[in-house]
Amino acid sequence: MTVIIWITEGTWQATVDAAREHAPASADLVLLHVAGDDVSEMVRGSFAGLLGRDRRGRDAVSQVEAISRAAAAALLDDAAARLGRPAARLPRRGRVEREVVRAADGADLLICARDGDRSHLGPHSLGPATRFVIDHAPCPVLLVWPGQPPGADSLPPLPPGPPPGPPPRRPPRP
């Protein structure tokens, strides 16, 4: 059994703790971190468009990418230490949601955490990348709350009027 543990800056402790609790001892664990390309592209674009096409732009992009790689490695080190079990480390770059889905291809379980509004139950507790991953994951997903989940009293009120029923049936066409 292969379990992918999606490590993100704001919620990694929750996913690691869920893996410790739910992944079988015999599972092959993979700590996945995906760094988005958006910051590097922004730096590259600013030097190319606004500041001219000079060598400093390439150096700045290289420096930003090196910092990003170091931060990802440190985060994966922290996650591995908290996990306390052997795990492969899989750092990736690209569109975060697509890289997570690709990494989960062939896995038996993907563990990820809610990353949106944590004060209410419901769909807004998922950010866009996590929503995409849940909708497109090629394996079962364990979705965990980072921290204490809100109570059922955080559900929105029912809309006024009778409860919605099934749509009316159309008579068959002659």
Side-chain angles (χ1 to χ4, degrees):
M1 171 179 218
T2 300
V3 177
I4 306 290
I5 308 162
W6 182 15
I7 303 300
T8 63
E9 284 74 8
T11 61
W12 67 270
Q13 296 95 336
T15 56
V16 169
D17 292 348
R20 287 174 38 195
E21 184 176 340
H22 298 290
S26 61
D28 294 323
L29 303 178
V30 178
L31 296 167
L32 169 68
H33 179 270
V34 181
D37 284 336
D38 48 350
V39 174
S40 296
E41 292 303 315
M42 183 181 66
V43 171
R44 183 175 288 114
S46 67
F47 274 94
L50 299 174
L51 304 174
R53 293 175 177 87
D54 65 355
R55 178 143 177 73
R56 290 178 299 183
R58 288 185 295 253
D59 291 342
V61 171
S62 298
Q63 289 173 346
V64 166
E65 289 175 351
I67 291 168
S68 176
R69 281 190 301 275
L75 189 59
L76 288 169
D77 287 346
D78 290 345
R82 186 176 183 112
L83 185 60
R85 292 171 49 181
R89 298 172 194 198
L90 184 57
R92 290 202 173 176
R93 285 193 86 69
R95 290 283 304 259
V96 173
E97 63 277 11
R98 293 187 177 271
E99 290 300 319
V100 172
V101 169
R102 285 186 187 104
D105 191 24
D108 298 293
L109 180 65
L110 170 65
I111 301 175
C112 60
R114 294 179 180 272
D115 59 349
D117 178 5
R118 296 184 206 158
S119 64
H120 297 89
L121 297 173
H124 295 293
S125 65
L126 298 174
T130 304
R131 168 58 64 198
F132 183 94
V133 168
I134 289 170
D135 288 345
H136 296 87
C139 66
V141 176
L142 173 58
L143 179 62
V144 298
W145 280 94
Q148 194 70 351
D153 59 338
S154 70
L155 286 170
L158 288 172
R169 292 188 59 179
R170 292 184 183 172
R173 291 187 176 207

